[in-house]
Amino acid sequence: MINDKLPYIYYGGDYNPDQWPEEIWQEDMRLFKLAGINIVTLPVFSWAKLQPSEHTYDFEWLDKIIATVAAEGIFLCLATSTAAQPAWMSRLYPEVLPVDIDGRKRTHGSRVNFCPSSPVYRMFSQRLAVKMAERYGHHPSLLVWHIGNEYAPHCYCDTCASAFRTWLQNKYGTLEVVNRVWNMSFWSHTVYEWEEIVPPTNLNGNNKCFQGIALDYKRFMSDAILECYQGEYDKIKEITPDIKITSNIWGLFNGLDLKKWADHMDVVSWDSYPQMNEPMSNVAMRHDYMRGLKDGQPFMLMEQTPSQQNWQPYNSLKRPGVMRLWSYQAIAHGADTVMFFQLRRSVGACEKYHGALIAHAGHEHTRVFKECTQLGMELQVLGDTLLDSVTESKVALLFDIDTWNAVEMTSGPNVDLDYLKQAQKYYKAFYDLNVSVDVISPLSDFSKYELIIAPVMYMLKPGVSDRLKSFVKQGGTMVTSFFSGIVNENDLVTLGGYPGELRDLLGIWVEEIDSLQPEMTNKIVIDSAFGELYGEYECGLLCDLLHLEGAEALGVYGRDFYAGMPAITRNTFGQGEAYYVATDPEQRFLEQLSQTICERLNLATTHQAPEGVEIRSRQKDDKTYTFVLNHNAYETAILLNAGSYKDLLSHRVYERTLVLEPYGVAILEVCK
Amino acid sequence: MINDKLPYIYYGGDYNPDQWPEEIWQEDMRLFKLAGINIVTLPVFSWAKLQPSEHTYDFEWLDKIIATVAAEGIFLCLATSTAAQPAWMSRLYPEVLPVDIDGRKRTHGSRVNFCPSSPVYRMFSQRLAVKMAERYGHHPSLLVWHIGNEYAPHCYCDTCASAFRTWLQNKYGTLEVVNRVWNMSFWSHTVYEWEEIVPPTNLNGNNKCFQGIALDYKRFMSDAILECYQGEYDKIKEITPDIKITSNIWGLFNGLDLKKWADHMDVVSWDSYPQMNEPMSNVAMRHDYMRGLKDGQPFMLMEQTPSQQNWQPYNSLKRPGVMRLWSYQAIAHGADTVMFFQLRRSVGACEKYHGALIAHAGHEHTRVFKECTQLGMELQVLGDTLLDSVTESKVALLFDIDTWNAVEMTSGPNVDLDYLKQAQKYYKAFYDLNVSVDVISPLSDFSKYELIIAPVMYMLKPGVSDRLKSFVKQGGTMVTSFFSGIVNENDLVTLGGYPGELRDLLGIWVEEIDSLQPEMTNKIVIDSAFGELYGEYECGLLCDLLHLEGAEALGVYGRDFYAGMPAITRNTFGQGEAYYVATDPEQRFLEQLSQTICERLNLATTHQAPEGVEIRSRQKDDKTYTFVLNHNAYETAILLNAGSYKDLLSHRVYERTLVLEPYGVAILEVCK
Amino acid sequence: MINDKLPYIYYGGDYNPDQWPEEIWQEDMRLFKLAGINIVTLPVFSWAKLQPSEHTYDFEWLDKIIATVAAEGIFLCLATSTAAQPAWMSRLYPEVLPVDIDGRKRTHGSRVNFCPSSPVYRMFSQRLAVKMAERYGHHPSLLVWHIGNEYAPHCYCDTCASAFRTWLQNKYGTLEVVNRVWNMSFWSHTVYEWEEIVPPTNLNGNNKCFQGIALDYKRFMSDAILECYQGEYDKIKEITPDIKITSNIWGLFNGLDLKKWADHMDVVSWDSYPQMNEPMSNVAMRHDYMRGLKDGQPFMLMEQTPSQQNWQPYNSLKRPGVMRLWSYQAIAHGADTVMFFQLRRSVGACEKYHGALIAHAGHEHTRVFKECTQLGMELQVLGDTLLDSVTESKVALLFDIDTWNAVEMTSGPNVDLDYLKQAQKYYKAFYDLNVSVDVISPLSDFSKYELIIAPVMYMLKPGVSDRLKSFVKQGGTMVTSFFSGIVNENDLVTLGGYPGELRDLLGIWVEEIDSLQPEMTNKIVIDSAFGELYGEYECGLLCDLLHLEGAEALGVYGRDFYAGMPAITRNTFGQGEAYYVATDPEQRFLEQLSQTICERLNLATTHQAPEGVEIRSRQKDDKTYTFVLNHNAYETAILLNAGSYKDLLSHRVYERTLVLEPYGVAILEVCK
């Protein structure tokens, strides 16, 4: 529960009054109230203003702003403002500047442009956090702390190299172990002194060369950056133990171990910037991933744009209704806040063409402002109804950042293999059925699920295969795919035959993995219908040549020298079943496979919705709130299950049919 | 008048006898005379020969060459030879070597490879210029000085960083102003010491990040390079006050503030290297731009290739007649010289496959030599007829290097937005009508024009909007387009609503700017014919969503949620009219718009020419010389206006019809 | 004869037991014997294990491995293990780390990552080679030495710069000569001190700028790297004068002067990694090139993959039979060994997905192992039958690394001009006729050939034109093409008219070279049939505009302003004929040209084979072994010449017709 002080869905976003003269502030307040804003995030990038020099701090202007905001009854998400160090720091302490993967020492500018291992950066950033906490930590309007901003870039400087060696000593103890787990006898890489270990960069080809080193460096870097966050966290927590702390994740990316990061956050928050033409299933999956980071706990939508973006190649406007639709989609997937970057469009520098509540025109008479206002009013009416409600899914999709990195670093078999895209394909198959999916770590609790989807489970960390076997043995169903069970957490191959530790669970042995040239395809042939699956399907990318060891073949390859070999198998294991998809099939195959499995498991679908309509539910106090989201640009009719339903937004009651306007939304509650 | 000493169109070009043994020189002279060469440019790249070491100079070989050339009655364009410093200088004074935008210190080699802020480079280059001026400045064959060569590359070294800070101090006075005009409170960039300002490079992401910094750095760099030029200029001017001085501009590019540079040249000269398949309108526009740099004064075509180039990906031969055709095109647009790079094809290094008057075969029995000779003979016959004649245009196209840079640096809304391409599209619409267009700066004199075209007037420098309003108020017509009036000279947005300072002039308010994905289009619908404009037209890239504030809509959008909103407007302002094209239309739209406006303004077109025939005139002493240029690879007939015309080239008289051979040219004078 | 100790085709490959625990070794031995392995190459990358620190060596583990292998009767290819220096060396002596072409000092890691000029690297590597030779040089199982591994990368550090200057002093004596042969008066590059010469890198644009410098730097670099090899070679030779020494060439690439390298090898060895969809003619050509490096002497196939690769974008499996087919193809072209990388698939790092005899599954029950075993058994049966047999070709294709580099560095006329591709096109024309071609240097002995093919003979080194004239004068036939005879060995143009020194031999003068835009084509028109040639053929890329000076035109251009000019010519010169193909024709043209010339020269073709069947012979002791290789994925019938033939593989006798299974092979010997 993040919303105890403010029992509403937080509605507001990044506010940068320090970029504006004071006379604008009062006008901002008027417009915020008009739009129903109840929270502002600040000061995200004001370190240089807060600390004009090494020994000088200036909080007066911030005092004034906070007073202004609070006076209007608007609450605060307080940022520690440490994402961009002041220029004086880079000049006086050049060590704070990072070295990039090409070995280039960076110069001052931009943001998140510091070495995460730098003691100077850490000292100054924690000092500022302490000052912020001491000064504002007990302010009645303070709701949540926001540390840094979109942590991400990696550094390869000597300070980091040295810290990496210490990190390795802590992890592995001796060089003997390091040499073994990185397979350093390959290419004469055996090291005898810790100092002989150097970061993997474009200057030694190590990123695609020694996956063991590169993976550990990525993990170290995630940890080093996490220590920057954690350093501030600990100091603040001491001063304000009751205020929740977060940092905004900039999306589903593989630069940080997001799962580990989430363990150090009181609440997950993230920034959602879909591309205009991106499949909505991808957006939904990202929300589900963020919700999964803390095992289903509601998260904060920390940033989205009210209208357009600036940093994509083509920054289209959000069509009328889309901002509202996507806001409710976030809530449907577990968000308890709807927050924008940014509240007022800046006048200069690179984000001046990023959308905002208040346009450069400066007034409320714009389409965007009106749409924001409508949403603000609706959220006020919703009050605390939805707060802390949860999502109940019977299906989990396993997704793991380390596996993603390992697949990306692999030299062979196929450059087009994209771990995220594979996950998205499987997710989409269930999304299109409106079956709720939790996106979780392979180390999360499986007990509440009936079905686990785990495409390209390339890397198996310790314990994962046992957990999966136990899950299936007890009656669970599992679906995995080609390129699974291949390596351990150090990217060392599990010897004895693919898919390694999963071999008995899946009842197969994969002898070879064919990698198809881009112009090649194969096909899956299913002669004897298995549920919805029947006939021929295109496939490609990789094709496992496998032998049955207990499993049965549901379909076989239709072409090439391995025509007739199994392409999809099912294995009974204890009380459950494990499916293996040996190649990368067309989406239709996955649709029919997911439908078949859902039918077999009686995973009840929901109201009957045509294409483009997403349906998701949140539960609370025995009540179910069902979000019906029309992603179509046209009016769409949904056939409702028996019963009558009240729409929390329109306050109308529906039976049998719900007709939604283009990009329309309803939140249905069963009428008792 | 640059041609007083030599009352002919200068005909010749770059001559590098120092690359050849002396026995070749006499043969060169024979061939030059044969081809009608009357000027040679030298020594463009001979610094290492002229100054073998820090304290030694050697002019003997140059004395001999100049004597040889002068003895043949050939005149001189004397280069100061400072475009490539000798290797000893780079070795003894490494500070002369520049640092590139990736922070890499360059090593010796190539050309124009020096730091423009380097005191050592400046001292040595000026010293050489003085020696050249003292030794040859009063030589009777000297016509013009040529400083450096194709100045362009930028430097990011510490010397430049320091000079940049000084430049900023001179421009802005205080850091308070700098912080304000660069909007430095964004992303915590506020600076408190001058030393905290660092050049924008790929090491701090500043080029696409802080447009204010990046724009000023480009301006500073243009100024720093200009100081190199100016240093030599001043020294030479002292010694030879009556000799014109120039430097060859390498084309229409945005690395230098060409308008400012032109102010420091006695005559503009430039190097024209069209690609084989480039629209001829682009070539014409570049000539017009160069003519506009000094307000219509004739310019020098300093370089073109007699046959092929070497540095393009595909270096096709100029087809028979094309070299002659393009030479006359340059003259038609204001050139008073026709000069080549190069007179003799070099034997080694990177330009050995660049065309030349004298091929590697070494004799006159080549197609290229013969074509050059034909042209040489014609130019001799033309004598001084065309010299100093001027172009009279009623239409001006505004083009501004700073705006170009600002649009390129913009983060959002659409990466495909290309300022130059937009200007070229509008220019082409008038070119295809054979309406003469001056390409001028927004700060040039507007008084002689009836129509001003200013597409994508993104940046408005101080005074420009007032000048435009005054122009229209007094009866002028103006056409501008989307993404205009957005920012001031520091790339700060003009608040209050787009198009900012142009809002009343255009009578519109642009609420939003939609950026289309590459696969998207919209259309302009004109229900009620406006001149030639009627029906539907494709459009794309950016679409303004605008409201009329006094203007009338001539056409509206045909698709998407803003269908029906104005897509082209016209506003009456004082005695004049201002048109606004709110999106990027297909070329046909611009053709019909330009035709409509020309008809409304009675901008008389000329003889009736089919597609591919360009007609341009120059005026002198009440005479009009009309160039008819057949860019078609086939014979083409032109319907002449009433009257009879003498062709200065064929000496024939034409009435009613002029038939030109493929790539043919006529220069018509009305028979009295 | 490399196989005297082991009178079989060597069969085995790279073995890395140091990556595995000892318990695996015995299993390896069992599997090796099973598969018929008779040689292992080791220890290719074990320097760090062999020399754990500057003053410590450890050979015990290697002793044990060698004993294990030898005990099984398996022979040794002993590597000096110097391709990847230990990390301690890079740390203690940073000078061993190279600087790349972007001026970046590399860090430790990867392989072949050392400065070839480094005295430290050379000292340590030779010291290791000596120790290896002393310890194992007289081991009875030792067959051949293998120095380094796939030498290739270039360095641009100060040590190399200094060594380059010394190399230049040795080659040219004085700076006057250097200035002349590099045409340094161009762009003011004249140097006066040796120190003024700097390596051509991306920091001075010299690679595409001063071809003379860049070519010599490449030659120097090849020599510097060769000195690394030669240093080890000399030390080893002293100790084991009778053991053959080689280093594995990583393919037909232009980073080293392979011909010069081959002169320093006792036997050529190379690594063959065809792409799945590559034309088989390219593979054949590479084999022929390797055979040609030592004038027809059999070579070692040092590496190929048993199944798939890992470093290509798409690493498809070799289809069943293909590994065997390609092994015999190598033998057919002159290989006396069939060796793999690698015998056991590694468990970690970048090559873990590279194919191996022993898969990760670890046993013999795989398709790949079985195919390897089949081949191993066949090779045992073949015994010494084919050893040291030779190839007799009447046709030679000239191919020169320097020319390749020079064409690549050329600025103009056409970026798509690819020297290797041109050679491959001509080679393919003869390959498709099953006419054996030697690929040789322009400085090789021409006396045994009737036909010399030399496309794009851009660079003529001293003596080459005389050798060609003498060859043709005595009755030989020669075919060359556009862009020939242009420059000398320093990339200085031969003045007086193209094709320079070949002008009289070809009886033509090329006045101009048109470079076609990618969308342009021309055509060759042959009105009067010349053998198979008749009608129209597409052509493009470059089109010479040439004049006949004694030659006759066999065909002319069909388009553009040079329609009607000769496009293919033939000149009688002494007793022979010289053909000139003035443009880049479609493949059909080259097919018909080669067929025509073969018919004219009575170059007997062999059995009648349909498309996709390659036929090559090796001769020994008056016997001819004819390899029939079915590259088709389907069964194919070959019509045999009169007589009966025994197949050495199936031991069957064939008459009239030989039917081969998909990817099938026969080695036919005439039954007497």
Side-chain angles (χ1 to χ4, degrees), chain C residues 118-300:
Chain C
S118 159
V120 169
Y121 171 80
R122 291 187 181 186
M123 181 267 289
F124 277 121
S125 60
Q126 290 172 27
R127 194 178 285 174
L128 181 61
V130 167
K131 289 197 181 280
M132 293 288 290
E134 286 172 347
R135 194 169 189 104
Y136 306 114
H138 301 288
H139 194 290
S141 303
L142 174 59
L143 295 179
V144 61
W145 285 109
H146 173 315
I147 292 177
N149 189 71
E150 293 185 349
Y151 284 103
H154 290 190
C155 175
Y156 304 83
C157 74
D158 289 344
T159 310
C160 285
S162 173
F164 179 44
R165 291 178 201 116
T166 304
W167 185 92
L168 291 169
Q169 283 160 2
N170 291 334
K171 179 167 183 182
Y172 296 117
T174 68
L175 280 174
E176 285 64 39
V177 179
V178 170
N179 280 323
R180 181 167 45 75
V181 299
W182 287 353
N183 196 36
M184 294 285 266
S185 49
F186 180 77
W187 283 1
S188 182
H189 273 56
T190 307
V191 286
Y192 298 96
E193 304 281 346
W194 288 100
E195 287 65 30
E196 291 169 23
I197 296 173
V198 292
T201 69
N202 293 336
L203 299 180
N204 60 9
N206 263 339
N207 208 25
K208 279 269 179 184
C209 181
F210 268 80
Q211 286 75 20
I213 302 178
L215 276 171
D216 270 338
Y217 198 82
K218 278 213 148 185
R219 288 166 180 147
F220 153 70
M221 202 30 70
S222 176
D223 284 355
I225 300 171
L226 182 55
E227 283 175 23
C228 292
Y229 164 87
Q230 192 65 33
E232 296 189 38
Y233 181 102
D234 291 343
K235 302 279 189 185
I236 294 171
K237 209 66 185 178
E238 241 174 77
I239 301 167
T240 64
D242 299 331
I243 304 291
K244 296 275 195 295
I245 304 178
T246 189
S247 180
N248 58 337
I249 296 171
W250 73 249
L252 179 44
F253 81 113
N254 61 348
L256 300 178
D257 183 344
L258 298 178
K259 178 67 183 158
K260 187 171 183 181
W261 272 70
D263 292 344
H264 294 257
M265 293 182 182
D266 297 333
V267 56
V268 162
S269 68
W270 83 288
D271 303 344
S272 178
Y273 290 107
Q275 291 178 28
M276 191 203 197
N277 294 329
E278 204 178 358
M280 287 314 297
S281 58
N282 290 359
V283 185
M285 179 178 153
R286 290 197 288 268
H287 286 305
D288 287 346
Y289 177 80
M290 298 299 162
R291 188 184 68 243
L293 285 178
K294 288 193 89 69
D295 300 319
Q297 188 180 308
F299 58 88
M300 296 177 70

Side-chain angles (χ1 to χ4, degrees), chain A residues 48 277 316 319 352 360 367, chain B residues 192 491 498 511 515 519 560:
Chain A
N277 293 330
S316 302
R319 271 44 198 160
K352 64 182 173 292
H360 285 140
R367 178 182 72 90
Chain B
Y192 297 96
D491 203 56
Y498 316 132
E511 181 185 336
S515 171
E519 69 278 10
D560 219 322

Side-chain angles (χ1 to χ4, degrees), chain B residues 566-597:
Chain B
I568 169 165
T569 65
R570 181 179 54 164
N571 192 44
T572 303
F573 189 84
Q575 307 300 311
E577 290 182 332
Y579 292 83
Y580 186 77
V581 184
T583 179
D584 180 38
E586 58 176 306
Q587 190 65 26
R588 185 175 58 94
F589 178 92
L590 294 180
E591 279 165 25
Q592 295 178 357
L593 175 63
S594 59
Q595 196 173 345
T596 300
I597 292 175

Side-chain angles (χ1 to χ4, degrees), chain B residues 221-237:
Chain B
M221 202 29 70
S222 176
D223 284 355
I225 300 171
L226 182 55
E227 283 175 22
C228 292
Y229 165 86
Q230 192 65 34
E232 295 188 38
Y233 181 101
D234 292 343
K235 302 280 188 186
I236 294 170
K237 208 65 184 180

Side-chain angles (χ1 to χ4, degrees), chain A residues 48 52 84 104 106-108 110-111 277 308 310 313-317 319 347-350 352-353 360 366-367, chain B residues 102 183 188-189 192 204 209 211 411-413 415-416 458 486 491 493 496 498 511-515 517 519 560:
Chain A
R104 304 181 307 183
R106 289 178 59 86
T107 60
H108 184 78
S110 191
R111 63 181 205 171
N277 293 330
Q308 68 194 141
N310 70 288
Y314 307 96
N315 300 280
S316 302
L317 297 173
R319 271 44 198 160
V347 70
C350 70
K352 64 182 173 292
Y353 299 122
H360 285 140
T366 64
R367 178 182 72 90
Chain B
D102 289 308
N183 195 37
S188 180
H189 274 56
Y192 297 96
N204 59 9
C209 180
Q211 287 74 21
S411 173
V415 291
D416 291 343
Y458 173 64
I486 308 289
D491 203 56
V493 172
Y498 316 132
E511 181 185 336
E512 298 184 82
I513 305 172
D514 193 23
S515 171
Q517 305 290 316
E519 69 278 10
D560 219 322

